[in-house]
Amino acid sequence: MNTVSQSWTPIIGMEIHVELKTASKMFCACANDPFHAEKPNTYTCPVCLGLPGALPVANKKAIEYTIKLGLALGCRINQFSKFDRKHYFYPDLPKGYQISQYDIPFCVNGVVHTSEGDVRIRRVHLEEDTGKLMHQTVHGDEITLIDFNRSGVPLVEIVTEPDIHSATQAKEYCKKLRQIVRYLGISECDMEQGGMRLEANISVKKAAHAKRLTQSADDELPNYKVELKNINSFRFLERGIVYDIKRQIAILEQGETPVQETRGYSAQNDATFTQRVKETAEDYRYFPDPDIPPIAIDDAWLAAIAQDIPELPDAVFARWRDAYGVKPDYSELLCETPEHAAWFEELFAELAQRALPADACMSALANKRIAVRVFEDSYEAICDALGRMLHAEEIPEEELSRVLRAVLAEQPKAVAEYRSGKEQALQFLVGQVLKKLGKKINVADLASRIKQELKETS
Ligand SMILES: [Zn+2]
């Protein structure tokens, strides 16, 4: 928020697409493996190529994954749902329509908690991904190739209410959503490959109106919005939003209204740019897909799906805070996946047994103040190193730092020798520091500390 002028409030809603990790595609038996296929168009059949007469059959697992996500986000589940056809023309969509969900999505009305406030989830629906266009130059001609390996891959879309009010909150929301999706084991969320795609709807409103906006009608929203599309990293999302908010404020302060359009983000220029100006509202002519029967989700099925949801990051963290006093600052590091969380769970137990404070240890690990490999080294080795470090810290940082600098200043010859590659010189310097300190301190830690100091001053 600090980058934004105080009198304006950004109004942001997110739309996120995530490819689900099912064995087969959404409406056919083709393998769902678009990123590892040896060749383009390996996994195709009449259904996902959109050939006339081919009949789609909905993937039960994909529906379960979508509902699982909805439940994890606290959504209400529509136990009667259906698929609809969304019509538009584009070469990556051979049928001329995409099978999606229109008025009865599987999940509605959820919430994701962020440190800057709750973000309400409007809907979570299931659809099919499109083919992938590849623009290439062949024999000097610029051509477009189509790969249908991705066509028909189950794709879930998560849409929020416009409850987000800063670029940092948008980023936090997206990261948290990815964390939940990974916890559920329903997608890898590979952003580079396009397995998770981010879209932000951004507008800006005079701050005085902003408070009422969050709980009132849509007609109080700004009368325009800018869609920031095709973003494949959290950092670019944050930077793109920061840039566009400034751009919109500059336009509004001149008494004009920003153009309703779709914009992309260029990392090279650290700026957003016009992709497509929308002149009219799009008409997708939605109607229920007559080839796919409506989906009824009975209570037993719903209960079985709910039972398959693991303890989620928010709950894991609340438990750790109470049991071990760990602060939420490290939640990203600790709870990236259930495997990570399980690993830290054991580490905390080990630390507790040795009466080592978990929070100080997490701070040391997060800030890489000790040379251990998380997830690789044994718990014993890590706890030993943490124990030594916490012990060594009994020497006030100021004192250690002062002695260290003094020794380096007094020993220019040893410093020069070390810099020219003589490892023994480092041992000499360690000895000199120990002598001057007159206290016991872990030698390995001290050596890496000196190395660090030399790196910073070189
Ligand atoms: Zn197929």
mmCIF file with all atom_site columns, all heavy atoms in Angstrom, residues 234-259:
data_model
loop_
_atom_site.group_PDB
_atom_site.id
_atom_site.type_symbol
_atom_site.label_atom_id
_atom_site.label_alt_id
_atom_site.label_comp_id
_atom_site.label_asym_id
_atom_site.label_entity_id
_atom_site.label_seq_id
_atom_site.pdbx_PDB_ins_code
_atom_site.Cartn_x
_atom_site.Cartn_y
_atom_site.Cartn_z
_atom_site.occupancy
_atom_site.B_iso_or_equiv
_atom_site.pdbx_formal_charge
_atom_site.auth_seq_id
_atom_site.auth_comp_id
_atom_site.auth_asym_id
_atom_site.auth_atom_id
_atom_site.pdbx_PDB_model_num
ATOM 1   N N   . PHE A 1 234 ? 4.376   -14.908 -9.339  1.00 0.00 ? 234 PHE A N   1
ATOM 2   C CA  . PHE A 1 234 ? 3.823   -14.068 -8.278  1.00 0.00 ? 234 PHE A CA  1
ATOM 3   C C   . PHE A 1 234 ? 4.481   -12.694 -8.277  1.00 0.00 ? 234 PHE A C   1
ATOM 4   O O   . PHE A 1 234 ? 3.848   -11.690 -8.019  1.00 0.00 ? 234 PHE A O   1
ATOM 5   C CB  . PHE A 1 234 ? 4.042   -14.737 -6.917  1.00 0.00 ? 234 PHE A CB  1
ATOM 6   C CG  . PHE A 1 234 ? 3.293   -16.027 -6.760  1.00 0.00 ? 234 PHE A CG  1
ATOM 7   C CD1 . PHE A 1 234 ? 3.914   -17.170 -6.298  1.00 0.00 ? 234 PHE A CD1 1
ATOM 8   C CD2 . PHE A 1 234 ? 1.945   -16.109 -7.086  1.00 0.00 ? 234 PHE A CD2 1
ATOM 9   C CE1 . PHE A 1 234 ? 3.223   -18.362 -6.156  1.00 0.00 ? 234 PHE A CE1 1
ATOM 10  C CE2 . PHE A 1 234 ? 1.236   -17.283 -6.951  1.00 0.00 ? 234 PHE A CE2 1
ATOM 11  C CZ  . PHE A 1 234 ? 1.886   -18.417 -6.481  1.00 0.00 ? 234 PHE A CZ  1
ATOM 12  N N   . ARG A 1 235 ? 5.778   -12.672 -8.573  1.00 0.00 ? 235 ARG A N   1
ATOM 13  C CA  . ARG A 1 235 ? 6.509   -11.412 -8.559  1.00 0.00 ? 235 ARG A CA  1
ATOM 14  C C   . ARG A 1 235 ? 6.004   -10.490 -9.668  1.00 0.00 ? 235 ARG A C   1
ATOM 15  O O   . ARG A 1 235 ? 5.788   -9.301  -9.460  1.00 0.00 ? 235 ARG A O   1
ATOM 16  C CB  . ARG A 1 235 ? 8.001   -11.693 -8.747  1.00 0.00 ? 235 ARG A CB  1
ATOM 17  C CG  . ARG A 1 235 ? 8.906   -10.592 -8.266  1.00 0.00 ? 235 ARG A CG  1
ATOM 18  C CD  . ARG A 1 235 ? 10.317  -11.129 -8.092  1.00 0.00 ? 235 ARG A CD  1
ATOM 19  N NE  . ARG A 1 235 ? 10.803  -11.733 -9.320  1.00 0.00 ? 235 ARG A NE  1
ATOM 20  C CZ  . ARG A 1 235 ? 11.489  -11.070 -10.262 1.00 0.00 ? 235 ARG A CZ  1
ATOM 21  N NH1 . ARG A 1 235 ? 11.793  -9.807  -10.081 1.00 0.00 ? 235 ARG A NH1 1
ATOM 22  N NH2 . ARG A 1 235 ? 11.890  -11.673 -11.350 1.00 0.00 ? 235 ARG A NH2 1
ATOM 23  N N   . PHE A 1 236 ? 5.791   -11.067 -10.849 1.00 0.00 ? 236 PHE A N   1
ATOM 24  C CA  . PHE A 1 236 ? 5.299   -10.260 -11.971 1.00 0.00 ? 236 PHE A CA  1
ATOM 25  C C   . PHE A 1 236 ? 3.884   -9.763  -11.681 1.00 0.00 ? 236 PHE A C   1
ATOM 26  O O   . PHE A 1 236 ? 3.514   -8.660  -12.060 1.00 0.00 ? 236 PHE A O   1
ATOM 27  C CB  . PHE A 1 236 ? 5.317   -11.063 -13.277 1.00 0.00 ? 236 PHE A CB  1
ATOM 28  C CG  . PHE A 1 236 ? 6.708   -11.405 -13.754 1.00 0.00 ? 236 PHE A CG  1
ATOM 29  C CD1 . PHE A 1 236 ? 6.905   -12.364 -14.741 1.00 0.00 ? 236 PHE A CD1 1
ATOM 30  C CD2 . PHE A 1 236 ? 7.813   -10.756 -13.216 1.00 0.00 ? 236 PHE A CD2 1
ATOM 31  C CE1 . PHE A 1 236 ? 8.190   -12.678 -15.182 1.00 0.00 ? 236 PHE A CE1 1
ATOM 32  C CE2 . PHE A 1 236 ? 9.095   -11.069 -13.644 1.00 0.00 ? 236 PHE A CE2 1
ATOM 33  C CZ  . PHE A 1 236 ? 9.282   -12.033 -14.629 1.00 0.00 ? 236 PHE A CZ  1
ATOM 34  N N   . LEU A 1 237 ? 3.100   -10.611 -11.009 1.00 0.00 ? 237 LEU A N   1
ATOM 35  C CA  . LEU A 1 237 ? 1.743   -10.183 -10.654 1.00 0.00 ? 237 LEU A CA  1
ATOM 36  C C   . LEU A 1 237 ? 1.815   -8.945  -9.761  1.00 0.00 ? 237 LEU A C   1
ATOM 37  O O   . LEU A 1 237 ? 1.155   -7.934  -10.018 1.00 0.00 ? 237 LEU A O   1
ATOM 38  C CB  . LEU A 1 237 ? 1.012   -11.304 -9.905  1.00 0.00 ? 237 LEU A CB  1
ATOM 39  C CG  . LEU A 1 237 ? -0.358  -10.891 -9.371  1.00 0.00 ? 237 LEU A CG  1
ATOM 40  C CD1 . LEU A 1 237 ? -1.412  -10.965 -10.477 1.00 0.00 ? 237 LEU A CD1 1
ATOM 41  C CD2 . LEU A 1 237 ? -0.780  -11.733 -8.184  1.00 0.00 ? 237 LEU A CD2 1
ATOM 42  N N   . GLU A 1 238 ? 2.651   -9.024  -8.747  1.00 0.00 ? 238 GLU A N   1
ATOM 43  C CA  . GLU A 1 238 ? 2.768   -7.913  -7.803  1.00 0.00 ? 238 GLU A CA  1
ATOM 44  C C   . GLU A 1 238 ? 3.243   -6.651  -8.523  1.00 0.00 ? 238 GLU A C   1
ATOM 45  O O   . GLU A 1 238 ? 2.656   -5.575  -8.378  1.00 0.00 ? 238 GLU A O   1
ATOM 46  C CB  . GLU A 1 238 ? 3.747   -8.303  -6.687  1.00 0.00 ? 238 GLU A CB  1
ATOM 47  C CG  . GLU A 1 238 ? 3.804   -7.275  -5.577  1.00 0.00 ? 238 GLU A CG  1
ATOM 48  C CD  . GLU A 1 238 ? 4.779   -7.661  -4.474  1.00 0.00 ? 238 GLU A CD  1
ATOM 49  O OE1 . GLU A 1 238 ? 5.603   -8.583  -4.678  1.00 0.00 ? 238 GLU A OE1 1
ATOM 50  O OE2 . GLU A 1 238 ? 4.726   -7.027  -3.409  1.00 0.00 ? 238 GLU A OE2 1
ATOM 51  N N   . ARG A 1 239 ? 4.276   -6.809  -9.360  1.00 0.00 ? 239 ARG A N   1
ATOM 52  C CA  . ARG A 1 239 ? 4.832   -5.638  -10.029 1.00 0.00 ? 239 ARG A CA  1
ATOM 53  C C   . ARG A 1 239 ? 3.860   -5.064  -11.053 1.00 0.00 ? 239 ARG A C   1
ATOM 54  O O   . ARG A 1 239 ? 3.739   -3.848  -11.205 1.00 0.00 ? 239 ARG A O   1
ATOM 55  C CB  . ARG A 1 239 ? 6.157   -6.002  -10.693 1.00 0.00 ? 239 ARG A CB  1
ATOM 56  C CG  . ARG A 1 239 ? 7.188   -6.425  -9.647  1.00 0.00 ? 239 ARG A CG  1
ATOM 57  C CD  . ARG A 1 239 ? 8.465   -6.831  -10.284 1.00 0.00 ? 239 ARG A CD  1
ATOM 58  N NE  . ARG A 1 239 ? 9.172   -5.656  -10.725 1.00 0.00 ? 239 ARG A NE  1
ATOM 59  C CZ  . ARG A 1 239 ? 10.498  -5.544  -10.708 1.00 0.00 ? 239 ARG A CZ  1
ATOM 60  N NH1 . ARG A 1 239 ? 11.217  -6.550  -10.279 1.00 0.00 ? 239 ARG A NH1 1
ATOM 61  N NH2 . ARG A 1 239 ? 11.072  -4.461  -11.131 1.00 0.00 ? 239 ARG A NH2 1
ATOM 62  N N   . GLY A 1 240 ? 3.163   -5.954  -11.742 1.00 0.00 ? 240 GLY A N   1
ATOM 63  C CA  . GLY A 1 240 ? 2.185   -5.516  -12.737 1.00 0.00 ? 240 GLY A CA  1
ATOM 64  C C   . GLY A 1 240 ? 1.062   -4.721  -12.084 1.00 0.00 ? 240 GLY A C   1
ATOM 65  O O   . GLY A 1 240 ? 0.630   -3.686  -12.582 1.00 0.00 ? 240 GLY A O   1
ATOM 66  N N   . ILE A 1 241 ? 0.600   -5.206  -10.923 1.00 0.00 ? 241 ILE A N   1
ATOM 67  C CA  . ILE A 1 241 ? -0.478  -4.501  -10.215 1.00 0.00 ? 241 ILE A CA  1
ATOM 68  C C   . ILE A 1 241 ? 0.010   -3.145  -9.723  1.00 0.00 ? 241 ILE A C   1
ATOM 69  O O   . ILE A 1 241 ? -0.664  -2.124  -9.901  1.00 0.00 ? 241 ILE A O   1
ATOM 70  C CB  . ILE A 1 241 ? -1.029  -5.357  -9.048  1.00 0.00 ? 241 ILE A CB  1
ATOM 71  C CG1 . ILE A 1 241 ? -1.752  -6.596  -9.593  1.00 0.00 ? 241 ILE A CG1 1
ATOM 72  C CG2 . ILE A 1 241 ? -1.985  -4.535  -8.191  1.00 0.00 ? 241 ILE A CG2 1
ATOM 73  C CD1 . ILE A 1 241 ? -2.237  -7.554  -8.517  1.00 0.00 ? 241 ILE A CD1 1
ATOM 74  N N   . VAL A 1 242 ? 1.201   -3.121  -9.128  1.00 0.00 ? 242 VAL A N   1
ATOM 75  C CA  . VAL A 1 242 ? 1.751   -1.844  -8.638  1.00 0.00 ? 242 VAL A CA  1
ATOM 76  C C   . VAL A 1 242 ? 1.825   -0.844  -9.793  1.00 0.00 ? 242 VAL A C   1
ATOM 77  O O   . VAL A 1 242 ? 1.384   0.309   -9.670  1.00 0.00 ? 242 VAL A O   1
ATOM 78  C CB  . VAL A 1 242 ? 3.162   -2.055  -8.020  1.00 0.00 ? 242 VAL A CB  1
ATOM 79  C CG1 . VAL A 1 242 ? 3.884   -0.732  -7.850  1.00 0.00 ? 242 VAL A CG1 1
ATOM 80  C CG2 . VAL A 1 242 ? 3.047   -2.775  -6.678  1.00 0.00 ? 242 VAL A CG2 1
ATOM 81  N N   . TYR A 1 243 ? 2.346   -1.301  -10.922 1.00 0.00 ? 243 TYR A N   1
ATOM 82  C CA  . TYR A 1 243 ? 2.489   -0.409  -12.070 1.00 0.00 ? 243 TYR A CA  1
ATOM 83  C C   . TYR A 1 243 ? 1.128   0.107   -12.540 1.00 0.00 ? 243 TYR A C   1
ATOM 84  O O   . TYR A 1 243 ? 0.940   1.303   -12.756 1.00 0.00 ? 243 TYR A O   1
ATOM 85  C CB  . TYR A 1 243 ? 3.188   -1.131  -13.234 1.00 0.00 ? 243 TYR A CB  1
ATOM 86  C CG  . TYR A 1 243 ? 3.287   -0.267  -14.474 1.00 0.00 ? 243 TYR A CG  1
ATOM 87  C CD1 . TYR A 1 243 ? 4.391   0.560   -14.672 1.00 0.00 ? 243 TYR A CD1 1
ATOM 88  C CD2 . TYR A 1 243 ? 2.266   -0.252  -15.424 1.00 0.00 ? 243 TYR A CD2 1
ATOM 89  C CE1 . TYR A 1 243 ? 4.480   1.373   -15.783 1.00 0.00 ? 243 TYR A CE1 1
ATOM 90  C CE2 . TYR A 1 243 ? 2.337   0.562   -16.538 1.00 0.00 ? 243 TYR A CE2 1
ATOM 91  C CZ  . TYR A 1 243 ? 3.451   1.367   -16.721 1.00 0.00 ? 243 TYR A CZ  1
ATOM 92  O OH  . TYR A 1 243 ? 3.532   2.180   -17.812 1.00 0.00 ? 243 TYR A OH  1
ATOM 93  N N   . ASP A 1 244 ? 0.173   -0.815  -12.671 1.00 0.00 ? 244 ASP A N   1
ATOM 94  C CA  . ASP A 1 244 ? -1.106  -0.400  -13.253 1.00 0.00 ? 244 ASP A CA  1
ATOM 95  C C   . ASP A 1 244 ? -1.925  0.480   -12.327 1.00 0.00 ? 244 ASP A C   1
ATOM 96  O O   . ASP A 1 244 ? -2.656  1.362   -12.779 1.00 0.00 ? 244 ASP A O   1
ATOM 97  C CB  . ASP A 1 244 ? -1.926  -1.612  -13.716 1.00 0.00 ? 244 ASP A CB  1
ATOM 98  C CG  . ASP A 1 244 ? -2.657  -1.281  -15.004 1.00 0.00 ? 244 ASP A CG  1
ATOM 99  O OD1 . ASP A 1 244 ? -1.987  -1.141  -16.044 1.00 0.00 ? 244 ASP A OD1 1
ATOM 100 O OD2 . ASP A 1 244 ? -3.887  -1.077  -14.955 1.00 0.00 ? 244 ASP A OD2 1
ATOM 101 N N   . ILE A 1 245 ? -1.796  0.257   -11.026 1.00 0.00 ? 245 ILE A N   1
ATOM 102 C CA  . ILE A 1 245 ? -2.490  1.134   -10.079 1.00 0.00 ? 245 ILE A CA  1
ATOM 103 C C   . ILE A 1 245 ? -1.985  2.575   -10.254 1.00 0.00 ? 245 ILE A C   1
ATOM 104 O O   . ILE A 1 245 ? -2.769  3.517   -10.332 1.00 0.00 ? 245 ILE A O   1
ATOM 105 C CB  . ILE A 1 245 ? -2.274  0.652   -8.626  1.00 0.00 ? 245 ILE A CB  1
ATOM 106 C CG1 . ILE A 1 245 ? -3.089  -0.626  -8.366  1.00 0.00 ? 245 ILE A CG1 1
ATOM 107 C CG2 . ILE A 1 245 ? -2.689  1.728   -7.629  1.00 0.00 ? 245 ILE A CG2 1
ATOM 108 C CD1 . ILE A 1 245 ? -2.758  -1.293  -7.048  1.00 0.00 ? 245 ILE A CD1 1
ATOM 109 N N   . LYS A 1 246 ? -0.669  2.721   -10.347 1.00 0.00 ? 246 LYS A N   1
ATOM 110 C CA  . LYS A 1 246 ? -0.090  4.066   -10.534 1.00 0.00 ? 246 LYS A CA  1
ATOM 111 C C   . LYS A 1 246 ? -0.580  4.674   -11.843 1.00 0.00 ? 246 LYS A C   1
ATOM 112 O O   . LYS A 1 246 ? -0.929  5.849   -11.902 1.00 0.00 ? 246 LYS A O   1
ATOM 113 C CB  . LYS A 1 246 ? 1.437   3.972   -10.562 1.00 0.00 ? 246 LYS A CB  1
ATOM 114 C CG  . LYS A 1 246 ? 2.053   3.871   -9.191  1.00 0.00 ? 246 LYS A CG  1
ATOM 115 C CD  . LYS A 1 246 ? 3.566   4.026   -9.308  1.00 0.00 ? 246 LYS A CD  1
ATOM 116 C CE  . LYS A 1 246 ? 4.266   3.501   -8.075  1.00 0.00 ? 246 LYS A CE  1
ATOM 117 N NZ  . LYS A 1 246 ? 5.643   3.104   -8.355  1.00 0.00 ? 246 LYS A NZ  1
ATOM 118 N N   . ARG A 1 247 ? -0.596  3.847   -12.883 1.00 0.00 ? 247 ARG A N   1
ATOM 119 C CA  . ARG A 1 247 ? -1.023  4.321   -14.202 1.00 0.00 ? 247 ARG A CA  1
ATOM 120 C C   . ARG A 1 247 ? -2.482  4.798   -14.137 1.00 0.00 ? 247 ARG A C   1
ATOM 121 O O   . ARG A 1 247 ? -2.813  5.880   -14.627 1.00 0.00 ? 247 ARG A O   1
ATOM 122 C CB  . ARG A 1 247 ? -0.894  3.169   -15.217 1.00 0.00 ? 247 ARG A CB  1
ATOM 123 C CG  . ARG A 1 247 ? -1.178  3.548   -16.658 1.00 0.00 ? 247 ARG A CG  1
ATOM 124 C CD  . ARG A 1 247 ? -1.182  2.316   -17.567 1.00 0.00 ? 247 ARG A CD  1
ATOM 125 N NE  . ARG A 1 247 ? -2.299  1.434   -17.280 1.00 0.00 ? 247 ARG A NE  1
ATOM 126 C CZ  . ARG A 1 247 ? -3.520  1.573   -17.797 1.00 0.00 ? 247 ARG A CZ  1
ATOM 127 N NH1 . ARG A 1 247 ? -3.766  2.545   -18.647 1.00 0.00 ? 247 ARG A NH1 1
ATOM 128 N NH2 . ARG A 1 247 ? -4.499  0.749   -17.469 1.00 0.00 ? 247 ARG A NH2 1
ATOM 129 N N   . GLN A 1 248 ? -3.332  3.990   -13.484 1.00 0.00 ? 248 GLN A N   1
ATOM 130 C CA  . GLN A 1 248 ? -4.754  4.350   -13.410 1.00 0.00 ? 248 GLN A CA  1
ATOM 131 C C   . GLN A 1 248 ? -4.971  5.619   -12.581 1.00 0.00 ? 248 GLN A C   1
ATOM 132 O O   . GLN A 1 248 ? -5.788  6.474   -12.940 1.00 0.00 ? 248 GLN A O   1
ATOM 133 C CB  . GLN A 1 248 ? -5.559  3.186   -12.813 1.00 0.00 ? 248 GLN A CB  1
ATOM 134 C CG  . GLN A 1 248 ? -5.619  1.966   -13.734 1.00 0.00 ? 248 GLN A CG  1
ATOM 135 C CD  . GLN A 1 248 ? -6.424  0.823   -13.124 1.00 0.00 ? 248 GLN A CD  1
ATOM 136 O OE1 . GLN A 1 248 ? -7.320  1.044   -12.319 1.00 0.00 ? 248 GLN A OE1 1
ATOM 137 N NE2 . GLN A 1 248 ? -6.102  -0.396  -13.523 1.00 0.00 ? 248 GLN A NE2 1
ATOM 138 N N   . ILE A 1 249 ? -4.229  5.726   -11.471 1.00 0.00 ? 249 ILE A N   1
ATOM 139 C CA  . ILE A 1 249 ? -4.386  6.919   -10.629 1.00 0.00 ? 249 ILE A CA  1
ATOM 140 C C   . ILE A 1 249 ? -4.013  8.178   -11.416 1.00 0.00 ? 249 ILE A C   1
ATOM 141 O O   . ILE A 1 249 ? -4.712  9.198   -11.354 1.00 0.00 ? 249 ILE A O   1
ATOM 142 C CB  . ILE A 1 249 ? -3.544  6.801   -9.336  1.00 0.00 ? 249 ILE A CB  1
ATOM 143 C CG1 . ILE A 1 249 ? -4.163  5.740   -8.418  1.00 0.00 ? 249 ILE A CG1 1
ATOM 144 C CG2 . ILE A 1 249 ? -3.469  8.144   -8.600  1.00 0.00 ? 249 ILE A CG2 1
ATOM 145 C CD1 . ILE A 1 249 ? -3.336  5.424   -7.182  1.00 0.00 ? 249 ILE A CD1 1
ATOM 146 N N   . ALA A 1 250 ? -2.930  8.081   -12.195 1.00 0.00 ? 250 ALA A N   1
ATOM 147 C CA  . ALA A 1 250 ? -2.497  9.242   -12.987 1.00 0.00 ? 250 ALA A CA  1
ATOM 148 C C   . ALA A 1 250 ? -3.597  9.669   -13.961 1.00 0.00 ? 250 ALA A C   1
ATOM 149 O O   . ALA A 1 250 ? -3.870  10.866  -14.121 1.00 0.00 ? 250 ALA A O   1
ATOM 150 C CB  . ALA A 1 250 ? -1.217  8.903   -13.746 1.00 0.00 ? 250 ALA A CB  1
ATOM 151 N N   . ILE A 1 251 ? -4.278  8.689   -14.565 1.00 0.00 ? 251 ILE A N   1
ATOM 152 C CA  . ILE A 1 251 ? -5.366  9.009   -15.503 1.00 0.00 ? 251 ILE A CA  1
ATOM 153 C C   . ILE A 1 251 ? -6.547  9.632   -14.757 1.00 0.00 ? 251 ILE A C   1
ATOM 154 O O   . ILE A 1 251 ? -7.107  10.647  -15.165 1.00 0.00 ? 251 ILE A O   1
ATOM 155 C CB  . ILE A 1 251 ? -5.812  7.737   -16.253 1.00 0.00 ? 251 ILE A CB  1
ATOM 156 C CG1 . ILE A 1 251 ? -4.676  7.236   -17.150 1.00 0.00 ? 251 ILE A CG1 1
ATOM 157 C CG2 . ILE A 1 251 ? -7.078  8.002   -17.077 1.00 0.00 ? 251 ILE A CG2 1
ATOM 158 C CD1 . ILE A 1 251 ? -4.908  5.857   -17.749 1.00 0.00 ? 251 ILE A CD1 1
ATOM 159 N N   . LEU A 1 252 ? -6.907  8.997   -13.611 1.00 0.00 ? 252 LEU A N   1
ATOM 160 C CA  . LEU A 1 252 ? -8.052  9.488   -12.838 1.00 0.00 ? 252 LEU A CA  1
ATOM 161 C C   . LEU A 1 252 ? -7.803  10.899  -12.301 1.00 0.00 ? 252 LEU A C   1
ATOM 162 O O   . LEU A 1 252 ? -8.722  11.723  -12.254 1.00 0.00 ? 252 LEU A O   1
ATOM 163 C CB  . LEU A 1 252 ? -8.343  8.523   -11.670 1.00 0.00 ? 252 LEU A CB  1
ATOM 164 C CG  . LEU A 1 252 ? -8.956  7.183   -12.095 1.00 0.00 ? 252 LEU A CG  1
ATOM 165 C CD1 . LEU A 1 252 ? -8.786  6.138   -11.000 1.00 0.00 ? 252 LEU A CD1 1
ATOM 166 C CD2 . LEU A 1 252 ? -10.433 7.348   -12.448 1.00 0.00 ? 252 LEU A CD2 1
ATOM 167 N N   . GLU A 1 253 ? -6.565  11.172  -11.931 1.00 0.00 ? 253 GLU A N   1
ATOM 168 C CA  . GLU A 1 253 ? -6.265  12.499  -11.381 1.00 0.00 ? 253 GLU A CA  1
ATOM 169 C C   . GLU A 1 253 ? -6.348  13.587  -12.442 1.00 0.00 ? 253 GLU A C   1
ATOM 170 O O   . GLU A 1 253 ? -6.450  14.772  -12.122 1.00 0.00 ? 253 GLU A O   1
ATOM 171 C CB  . GLU A 1 253 ? -4.902  12.479  -10.665 1.00 0.00 ? 253 GLU A CB  1
ATOM 172 C CG  . GLU A 1 253 ? -5.042  11.790  -9.307  1.00 0.00 ? 253 GLU A CG  1
ATOM 173 C CD  . GLU A 1 253 ? -3.805  11.816  -8.442  1.00 0.00 ? 253 GLU A CD  1
ATOM 174 O OE1 . GLU A 1 253 ? -2.698  12.023  -8.992  1.00 0.00 ? 253 GLU A OE1 1
ATOM 175 O OE2 . GLU A 1 253 ? -3.955  11.622  -7.213  1.00 0.00 ? 253 GLU A OE2 1
ATOM 176 N N   . GLN A 1 254 ? -6.333  13.179  -13.707 1.00 0.00 ? 254 GLN A N   1
ATOM 177 C CA  . GLN A 1 254 ? -6.540  14.150  -14.789 1.00 0.00 ? 254 GLN A CA  1
ATOM 178 C C   . GLN A 1 254 ? -8.016  14.285  -15.135 1.00 0.00 ? 254 GLN A C   1
ATOM 179 O O   . GLN A 1 254 ? -8.386  14.893  -16.138 1.00 0.00 ? 254 GLN A O   1
ATOM 180 C CB  . GLN A 1 254 ? -5.771  13.713  -16.033 1.00 0.00 ? 254 GLN A CB  1
ATOM 181 C CG  . GLN A 1 254 ? -4.272  13.866  -15.856 1.00 0.00 ? 254 GLN A CG  1
ATOM 182 C CD  . GLN A 1 254 ? -3.515  13.508  -17.104 1.00 0.00 ? 254 GLN A CD  1
ATOM 183 O OE1 . GLN A 1 254 ? -4.051  12.851  -17.992 1.00 0.00 ? 254 GLN A OE1 1
ATOM 184 N NE2 . GLN A 1 254 ? -2.274  13.935  -17.184 1.00 0.00 ? 254 GLN A NE2 1
ATOM 185 N N   . GLY A 1 255 ? -8.855  13.616  -14.333 1.00 0.00 ? 255 GLY A N   1
ATOM 186 C CA  . GLY A 1 255 ? -10.293 13.711  -14.549 1.00 0.00 ? 255 GLY A CA  1
ATOM 187 C C   . GLY A 1 255 ? -10.805 12.773  -15.626 1.00 0.00 ? 255 GLY A C   1
ATOM 188 O O   . GLY A 1 255 ? -11.940 12.887  -16.077 1.00 0.00 ? 255 GLY A O   1
ATOM 189 N N   . GLU A 1 256 ? -9.980  11.837  -16.048 1.00 0.00 ? 256 GLU A N   1
ATOM 190 C CA  . GLU A 1 256 ? -10.420 10.888  -17.081 1.00 0.00 ? 256 GLU A CA  1
ATOM 191 C C   . GLU A 1 256 ? -10.636 9.503   -16.487 1.00 0.00 ? 256 GLU A C   1
ATOM 192 O O   . GLU A 1 256 ? -10.277 9.238   -15.351 1.00 0.00 ? 256 GLU A O   1
ATOM 193 C CB  . GLU A 1 256 ? -9.380  10.836  -18.200 1.00 0.00 ? 256 GLU A CB  1
ATOM 194 C CG  . GLU A 1 256 ? -9.399  12.085  -19.065 1.00 0.00 ? 256 GLU A CG  1
ATOM 195 C CD  . GLU A 1 256 ? -8.150  12.206  -19.918 1.00 0.00 ? 256 GLU A CD  1
ATOM 196 O OE1 . GLU A 1 256 ? -7.616  11.156  -20.305 1.00 0.00 ? 256 GLU A OE1 1
ATOM 197 O OE2 . GLU A 1 256 ? -7.722  13.347  -20.151 1.00 0.00 ? 256 GLU A OE2 1
ATOM 198 N N   . THR A 1 257 ? -11.236 8.602   -17.283 1.00 0.00 ? 257 THR A N   1
ATOM 199 C CA  . THR A 1 257 ? -11.461 7.230   -16.841 1.00 0.00 ? 257 THR A CA  1
ATOM 200 C C   . THR A 1 257 ? -10.553 6.300   -17.637 1.00 0.00 ? 257 THR A C   1
ATOM 201 O O   . THR A 1 257 ? -10.513 6.387   -18.869 1.00 0.00 ? 257 THR A O   1
ATOM 202 C CB  . THR A 1 257 ? -12.935 6.813   -17.085 1.00 0.00 ? 257 THR A CB  1
ATOM 203 O OG1 . THR A 1 257 ? -13.775 7.768   -16.431 1.00 0.00 ? 257 THR A OG1 1
ATOM 204 C CG2 . THR A 1 257 ? -13.214 5.438   -16.533 1.00 0.00 ? 257 THR A CG2 1
ATOM 205 N N   . PRO A 1 258 ? -9.830  5.405   -16.959 1.00 0.00 ? 258 PRO A N   1
ATOM 206 C CA  . PRO A 1 258 ? -8.979  4.457   -17.696 1.00 0.00 ? 258 PRO A CA  1
ATOM 207 C C   . PRO A 1 258 ? -9.817  3.611   -18.659 1.00 0.00 ? 258 PRO A C   1
ATOM 208 O O   . PRO A 1 258 ? -10.983 3.320   -18.387 1.00 0.00 ? 258 PRO A O   1
ATOM 209 C CB  . PRO A 1 258 ? -8.378  3.591   -16.584 1.00 0.00 ? 258 PRO A CB  1
ATOM 210 C CG  . PRO A 1 258 ? -8.427  4.447   -15.367 1.00 0.00 ? 258 PRO A CG  1
ATOM 211 C CD  . PRO A 1 258 ? -9.682  5.267   -15.510 1.00 0.00 ? 258 PRO A CD  1
ATOM 212 N N   . VAL A 1 259 ? -9.215  3.238   -19.759 1.00 0.00 ? 259 VAL A N   1
ATOM 213 C CA  . VAL A 1 259 ? -9.910  2.433   -20.769 1.00 0.00 ? 259 VAL A CA  1
ATOM 214 C C   . VAL A 1 259 ? -10.129 1.017   -20.240 1.00 0.00 ? 259 VAL A C   1
ATOM 215 O O   . VAL A 1 259 ? -9.263  0.434   -19.615 1.00 0.00 ? 259 VAL A O   1
ATOM 216 C CB  . VAL A 1 259 ? -9.059  2.375   -22.065 1.00 0.00 ? 259 VAL A CB  1
ATOM 217 C CG1 . VAL A 1 259 ? -9.711  1.453   -23.095 1.00 0.00 ? 259 VAL A CG1 1
ATOM 218 C CG2 . VAL A 1 259 ? -8.869  3.766   -22.630 1.00 0.00 ? 259 VAL A CG2 1
#
